[in-house]
Amino acid sequence: LRGTSVCGLARAHREDIDTAWQALREAETPRIHLFLATSPIHLKYKLKKTQQQVLEEAVAAVELARTHVDDVEFSAEDGARTEPEFLEKISKAVVAAGARTVNIPDTVGYSTPKEYGALIGRIVTALGDCAVVSVHCHDDLGLAVANSLAAIEAGARQIECTINGIGERAGNCSLEEIVMILKTRADSYPYHTGIH
């Protein structure tokens, strides 16, 4: 593929990162997208790790990915349910380690537009011009598109979405709905997608 980025998703593990790089070697503009859980419930029950351990692992993973590619994205899995102070701290740390994009997922589709927009606004303010803030919303409560729009208004500049909203559980943010909302309601959402 030419004229577009090709991205490989990887857990914040050396084996995954190296495998993603092997798959991306021939890409014109490769990106490695790393993810690691950050919410209290995930730390306690899924990872059984402290915030400090996760912070260190995230930074190490970004540094490793940067040895392969210039374009690294980091996702704080379950970011919408992560304490804002820790989310801000880990976001700054991964950017300092070389991530260009920080993704704040609503992994379990729990957020509402008002609270999600406020959280994204906080991270946008914290990172300034150092990185693009991205969002990845799930549709468990039917709010993936609404949450993504709230995130755009709060300063997010990348939306991760899927065709027809197809994705885990109840689905993800719908690509075609976002595109048509931005096109049809440019009076309310004056943003450009570049999608033809």
Side-chain angles (χ1 to χ4, degrees):
L1 294 173
R2 300 295 174 217
T4 187
S5 292
V6 179
C7 181
L9 182 65
R11 294 173 299 175
H13 297 166
R14 175 175 291 279
E15 299 80 16
D16 283 25
I17 295 166
D18 290 342
T19 300
W21 168 238
Q22 291 306 314
L24 294 167
R25 289 182 83 104
E26 302 302 318
E28 183 178 68
T29 51
R31 169 186 277 192
I32 294 178
H33 182 164
L34 306 167
F35 67 95
L36 185 58
T38 55
S39 69
I41 195 167
H42 276 88
L43 294 181
K44 182 175 181 180
Y45 296 106
K46 179 180 174 180
L47 299 179
K48 298 175 177 44
K49 294 182 178 175
T50 66
Q51 286 184 345
Q52 186 60 35
Q53 288 173 306
V54 166
L55 180 70
E56 290 169 6
E57 288 179 20
V59 167
V62 169
E63 289 173 345
L64 176 59
R66 277 301 305 270
T67 66
H68 299 305
V69 298
D70 290 332
D71 190 0
V72 175
E73 177 174 351
F74 177 80
S75 280
E77 184 184 2
D78 205 20
R81 296 192 300 172
T82 299
E83 297 100 325
E85 297 77 16
F86 181 56
L87 190 59
E88 188 175 318
K89 182 177 182 179
I90 198 166
S91 296
K92 288 179 176 178
V94 296
V95 169
R100 288 188 184 173
T101 305
V102 175
N103 183 260
I104 311 299
D106 183 18
T107 302
V108 296
Y110 178 79
S111 248
T112 63
K114 183 177 179 181
E115 66 190 15
Y116 194 61
L119 180 64
I120 297 306
R122 178 178 179 148
I123 301 305
V124 167
T125 299
L127 296 180
D129 294 334
C130 296
V132 171
V133 174
S134 170
V135 295
H136 176 106
C137 296
H138 285 252
D139 208 29
D140 300 68
L141 298 178
L143 294 171
V145 170
N147 284 339
S148 297
L149 291 171
I152 292 172
E153 290 181 297
R157 290 298 174 259
Q158 175 178 298
I159 298 175
E160 298 181 0
C161 46
T162 62
I163 296 170
N164 294 326
I166 296 170
E168 296 175 281
R169 297 182 316 277
N172 298 96
C173 179
S174 170
L175 168 67
E176 62 280 6
E177 290 177 13
I178 285 289
V179 169
M180 289 312 300
I181 290 167
L182 296 180
K183 180 177 175 62
T184 305
R185 294 304 311 270
D187 57 322
S188 294
Y189 299 101
Y191 307 102
H192 176 71
T193 67
I195 293 173
H196 300 289

